[in-house]
Each structure stands twice: as structure tokens, then as C-alpha cells.
Amino acid sequence: MADEDNSTPATPPADTAEGEASAGADDAAVNEVAAAISSIAVEDASDDEANEAVPAPPQEEDEDEVVPPPPAAAAYQFNFNPPPPQPHLAAADPNNNMDFANLNPSEINAQFLSLLPPCIHPRLDKLKSLSEDRTQLLEQYLVERAELEQKYNGLMKPLYEMRRDVVTGKCDGDIASNDTTGASNGQEVKGIPQFWACAMGHIDLLAELITEEDVDCMEHLVDVTCDDFADGSGFELHFHFSPNDFFTNSVLTKRYEVPNLLTEDEPMLQSVTGTDIHWKPNKSLTHKTITKKQRKKGGPNAGQVRTIQKTERAESFFHFFTPPKMPELGDVVDEEEAEAMEEHFDHDYEMACAIRGSLIPNAVHWFTGEAMEEAMYGDEGMDMMFDEEDEDEDDGEGGLNPFPPPAAGEGEQNPECKQS
């Protein structure tokens, strides 16, 4: 019988046991990390397979979706770099420092056209031909319109003449005989006194120039007429007066030459001509004579009194017949003077248009005041009213006077001083 080994196994040394335990722990940690990485890889692979297995639903096409057009071709860009100057210009400008400000219009035109592609020139010629055709039609239109204006002005002239007879009282008997209301019985008033003065006084543009002294003279105003030129290039205003104590003229005329009168363009005043008013002695409404006495203060004649008569300009509507003098070609006019002159002519022409286009055809409605309502509440009337208010605010003395004192040698004579 074999001997049993009852001996106790030998216990390893302490250092060796601790080393083995540490190595086992490290192996376990490595195994855990490897297992975690394997699980992540498996999950990613399963996700990829799931995505491949379930395809994305197809997107429905929008029937209303507008497919954008293909990009347009780039527009032609003109090359505006000045080309070499023409021979006659190159001789005058050898350094090729072209200054367009010193070129005449034909040279500028030639330079510009030379910058365009040659294929455009025939198209420009076609446009010029169309423009010439339009110009010919416009000329024909203006001729026919002028003839039409003359035709209907002739048809209206008898009406205006009858209106004059009513205003002056020539039709009083006929009107009274046809009056069924009895309003004319026992009335001794002849015609319609101050008809034109009252009608003009209801037009703000004219009323601002009429003074109390003017009204006495305008009582003798019996008619206001307008004659358009046969070719439509202007018109004349005529103020007809009965014999009076103020001047010897029977008609005061204002003539306007406006070549584009019948077009819609801004009017081009070619000339404006008035009338010399032949005032009777001491009856002028545009100037007044003031007599002053002066006493000499020093010298051998100290204390001597002398009488001086001085003629001063007076505000009056009758300055309307003495327009400012238009500058001649070549006259040198500074900017301030040119602006003032332009403003005066604009106001003067505006008054002429009010007389021609509003007062003459609608005199009775201006006399009764009915036209004032339309002018006040209409768009144009409101604009005119606000414009006049602005002018009054700019000028603290009652508005702008469109007829300023003329310069020496122009229009009316300057005031003179006389001694006695």
C-alpha cells in the first residue's frame, strides 16, 4: 500500500502571488474593452443593414413647381473707352488727351457713334426714319388743329359780339320785352356795369394786381377778346374801352408769339409785345407825380425854398401792357437777373393764359362767382390757391409783383425829377 501524501502543498511566496493577481486583473480589463468594441461594431453593422433594407420613400413631384429657365446670355457691354481720335482731332491733340467739354456737338456725336458696334448703325438709321415720319405727322396735325381752332373761333365770335351788346346795354330793350318775370320794369341801369372789372376781380391771379384806382378806369372796359394766329403760333389779347378820362387808346393789346402753342410741351415764348398807353395829363395810373418842397440849409442861398416834382411808379394792373424787355441774342445777363426775368415772364404768361382760356370763354360765370367754386374745389384750383398762399408768405407786402420797375431804357420810362 502506497504511502499517502499527507503533506500540505507548499505556499508560494507573497511577491509571486501578488504578481499573478495583478496580471489576472489586467487580462480581465482588456477582455472587457475588447467585448465593448465588438458590441459597438455589431450595432453599427446592424444599423447599416437596416438602412439598406428599408429604402427611403420616393419624394412626390410638385406639379406646380416652376422649372427655372436657363440663365440668359449676358447683355452686350459697350466699350466706351475712347478710340484713337480722328485725324483732324489727333493733329490738334497729339497727346490723345481728349476733352469732350471742348468738342462741338457734331464731334461728340461722331465720337460716341464710333464706340458702337457696326451692326447697330443700320438700326439707328431705321429709328431716325421712324422719328422723321412722326415729325411729319405732327406737323400735319398742327396744321389741321390750327384750322379747326380757326373754324370754331369763327363760330363763337358772333356769340361773343352778342355778349358785348348785352354788357353794354344794347340788348336791354329786347331782353326786357322777353322778360316774363317783370324784373326789368322800372330799372334805369344800362347793361351790366363793371362786368369785366368784377369778373377779373374774382380771378385771384388778376385780382391781386387791380387797385381801387384801376376799378374807376375799368368801368369803361366793354369787352375782352382774343385772336389766335392762323398758324397756331401765338395769340393777341384785346381790351376794348369806351371813351374815358384816363387815356385816349380805344384798344389795349398784348401780343404773345409762342411757336409751340398747340403742343403739350412747355411753352416757348419767342416774344411778348405790349401797348404804349397814351395817358391824359395827370391821369396816369402807372405813375404818380409827387410835389415836394425843399429848403436849402447852407451856402449863400440858405433858407431858400424850392419845389420838386418827382414821378414815382404806382401799383396798377395796367403795367400788364408793358412787359419786361426780353434779352437780345448775345446779351450778358447774370444768373440772379436771369432767374428774376424768367419768373416775371412765367407769371405774365400765366396771366395771359388765364385771360385767354378762362376769363374770355367763361366771363359770366366769373362775374357771378360760380367759376370761383369750381376753381376753389377743383384740383387745379387748389394747386393755384396754395401756390398763391406760398407767394404771399414769401412776400410780406401782398405777394409777388410780376411787373417790376423796368431798368433804364426798357419799357416804361424811369421816374424823373423836375425842379422849379
Side-chain angles (χ1 to χ4, degrees):
M1 182 175 176
D3 294 336
E4 295 180 354
D5 188 0
N6 293 327
S7 61
T8 303
T11 302
D15 293 340
T16 303
E18 292 177 359
E20 292 176 355
S22 175
D26 291 340
D27 292 340
V30 170
N31 292 334
E32 291 178 359
V33 171
I37 293 174
S38 299
S39 64
I40 293 174
V42 170
E43 291 178 359
D44 291 341
S46 63
D47 291 340
D48 292 339
E49 292 176 358
N51 292 336
E52 292 177 358
V54 182
Q59 296 182 354
E60 296 182 359
E61 296 182 358
D62 188 359
E63 296 180 355
D64 297 335
E65 182 179 0
V66 179
V67 179
Y76 181 85
Q77 298 294 329
F78 293 121
N79 179 18
F80 287 108
N81 294 323
Q86 299 177 5
H88 70 287
L89 297 177
D93 188 18
N95 296 325
N96 195 20
N97 296 323
M98 188 61 63
D99 184 6
F100 281 85
N102 295 326
L103 297 179
N104 60 47
S106 62
E107 292 174 333
I108 294 177
N109 181 44
Q111 287 290 316
F112 173 75
L113 293 179
S114 65
L115 304 178
L116 302 178
C119 62
I120 290 183
H121 288 264
R123 302 164 192 170
L124 293 177
D125 293 338
K126 179 61 177 180
L127 293 180
K128 291 179 180 179
S129 176
L130 296 175
S131 179
E132 292 175 359
D133 293 342
R134 178 194 176 276
T135 300
Q136 293 178 0
L137 289 175
L138 180 60
E139 292 176 353
Q140 182 180 352
Y141 157 76
L142 294 177
V143 171
E144 294 182 3
R145 177 173 173 178
E147 294 175 351
L148 194 62
E149 295 269 358
Q150 289 292 309
K151 172 185 176 180
Y152 281 93
N153 285 339
L155 294 175
M156 288 184 284
K157 187 175 181 179
L159 303 179
Y160 292 150
E161 292 175 348
M162 186 173 295
R163 178 180 66 185
R164 175 177 180 172
D165 292 341
V166 173
V167 170
T168 57
K170 292 182 179 181
C171 295
D172 287 355
D174 295 337
I175 295 175
S177 62
N178 295 324
D179 182 15
T180 59
T181 63
S184 302
N185 296 335
Q187 297 294 327
E188 298 181 356
V189 178
K190 183 179 181 180
I192 306 178
Q194 297 186 351
F195 175 83
W196 288 102
C198 185
M200 294 172 63
H202 287 162
I203 300 178
D204 292 340
L205 195 62
L206 306 179
E208 65 183 8
L209 301 178
I210 300 176
T211 65
E212 294 182 3
E213 292 78 8
D214 292 338
V215 173
D216 294 336
C217 179
M218 296 180 72
E219 288 185 5
H220 302 277
L221 179 59
V222 297
D223 201 8
V224 181
T225 60
C226 178
D227 290 335
D228 290 351
F229 299 170
D231 59 356
S233 63
F235 59 92
E236 279 188 354
L237 300 175
H238 304 280
F239 290 72
H240 303 262
F241 287 85
S242 61
N244 58 81
D245 297 332
F246 295 90
F247 47 76
T248 60
N249 309 68
S250 60
V251 181
L252 301 181
T253 303
K254 190 77 172 287
R255 178 186 178 92
Y256 292 85
E257 295 185 15
V258 190
N260 62 338
L261 178 65
L262 299 182
T263 67
E264 301 299 329
D265 301 331
E266 182 177 355
M268 298 184 301
L269 283 176
Q270 184 172 336
S271 68
V272 182
T273 308
T275 300
D276 291 332
I277 303 178
H278 304 302
W279 298 103
K280 293 182 179 180
N282 301 322
K283 292 294 184 177
S284 174
L285 296 174
T286 57
H287 294 85
K288 57 184 179 180
T289 301
I290 299 177
T291 302
K292 294 183 178 181
K293 291 185 178 182
Q294 291 184 348
R295 184 183 300 274
K296 193 172 180 60
K297 297 181 178 180
N301 296 325
Q304 182 178 356
V305 178
R306 62 177 181 175
T307 302
I308 296 179
Q309 290 184 340
K310 183 178 181 181
T311 302
E312 295 183 351
R313 175 187 167 88
E315 297 299 326
S316 173
F317 168 78
F318 290 92
H319 286 294
F320 174 72
F321 299 99
T322 308
K325 182 181 178 181
M326 299 188 72
E328 300 290 341
L329 186 62
D331 289 351
V332 179
V333 182
D334 59 40
E335 182 177 358
E336 183 177 356
E337 184 180 356
E339 291 179 355
M341 185 176 300
E342 181 180 0
E343 187 174 3
H344 299 153
F345 276 110
D346 287 345
H347 199 149
D348 177 83
Y349 186 72
E350 187 177 0
M351 291 179 59
C353 290
I355 295 171
R356 174 178 178 263
S358 186
L359 175 66
I360 293 177
N362 301 306
V364 64
H365 299 292
W366 284 109
F367 176 83
T368 61
E370 296 170 88
M372 295 178 63
E373 298 180 7
E374 182 178 353
M376 181 176 296
Y377 296 109
D379 294 339
E380 296 181 358
M382 292 296 290
D383 294 341
M384 182 183 298
M385 181 175 63
F386 286 121
D387 290 344
E388 290 170 356
E389 289 179 356
D390 294 341
E391 292 175 357
D392 291 342
E393 292 176 359
D394 295 338
D395 188 347
E397 299 182 356
L400 174 67
N401 186 346
F403 311 115
E410 298 182 6
E412 300 172 348
Q413 295 180 354
N414 287 331
E416 298 178 355
C417 293
K418 297 181 180 180
Q419 302 183 34
S420 61

